[in-house]
Amino acid sequence: MKFELSNQLIEKYPSQFQNLKYIECGDGWYDLLSKLCYIIQNKMDSNLRQGKDSKFFWSQIKEKFGGLRAYCYGADEYMRGAIEMAESISYSICEYSGEKGILRKKRKGDNGEPIPAWLKTLSDSEAEKEGYLL
């Protein structure tokens, strides 16, 4: 993710990003991550109002096998559910553009055979640009 975009999240949610200085995924998932951080922050604030100390923070946010992976410390059941939902939704959003996307395999050489380990969730236009199967 571009520095400017990840920095916006880090500045808006400093307690969540106390141990994480960069996000390792494409710009297309910015809105998804922003909404996830908002949900997490609301739960953290609610916990504090109830006298529960929330020690939540992100340890890593990245793309893996075509989907979002968000690793954290201190999540309760509600937060884990929100994270799992965001990770699932990422498979329908292009990692690069934020448009509708689907999981795709990378083409291999001139024969067009896919390389199973190279997966990305991309829109049709991004898949064509990047050499992924349509």
Side-chain angles (χ1 to χ4, degrees):
M1 183 172 289
K2 288 181 192 156
F3 174 77
E4 297 82 21
L5 291 177
S6 55
N7 208 34
Q8 285 178 22
L9 289 175
I10 291 167
E11 287 178 4
K12 190 169 183 178
Y13 303 103
S15 63
Q16 293 183 40
F17 287 93
Q18 58 188 320
N19 293 335
L20 186 61
K21 303 302 177 209
Y22 56 92
I23 298 170
E24 306 169 69
C25 68
D27 295 348
W29 288 341
Y30 173 83
D31 287 339
L32 179 62
L33 285 171
S34 180
K35 290 171 184 164
L36 176 59
C37 289
Y38 177 81
I39 290 167
I40 297 290
Q41 190 63 51
N42 280 342
K43 181 60 172 159
M44 290 171 67
D45 295 344
S46 173
N47 286 349
L48 283 174
R49 284 192 299 275
Q50 296 174 19
K52 302 174 189 171
D53 191 15
S54 244
K55 295 187 189 303
F56 177 92
F57 60 86
W58 299 110
S59 55
Q60 187 178 32
I61 299 174
K62 66 179 185 174
E63 176 277 331
K64 184 173 183 180
F65 299 122
L68 177 69
R69 297 293 185 276
Y71 303 102
C72 63
Y73 171 82
D76 62 18
E77 186 176 344
Y78 179 89
M79 294 171 178
R80 284 190 298 275
I83 293 165
E84 287 176 18
M85 185 177 297
E87 290 176 343
S88 294
I89 291 170
S90 73
Y91 286 101
S92 65
I93 300 171
C94 176
E95 181 186 357
Y96 296 151
S97 69
E99 298 171 4
K100 182 179 184 275
I102 59 172
L103 188 62
R104 304 177 188 267
K105 294 179 181 179
K106 180 80 171 177
R107 288 189 191 127
K108 180 181 180 183
D110 294 331
N111 62 7
E113 290 182 27
I115 302 170
W118 291 7
L119 301 171
K120 287 276 185 193
T121 300
L122 301 170
S123 65
D124 289 345
S125 60
E126 293 294 335
E128 191 172 339
K129 279 190 244 178
E130 298 292 323
Y132 282 75
L133 297 173
L134 295 178

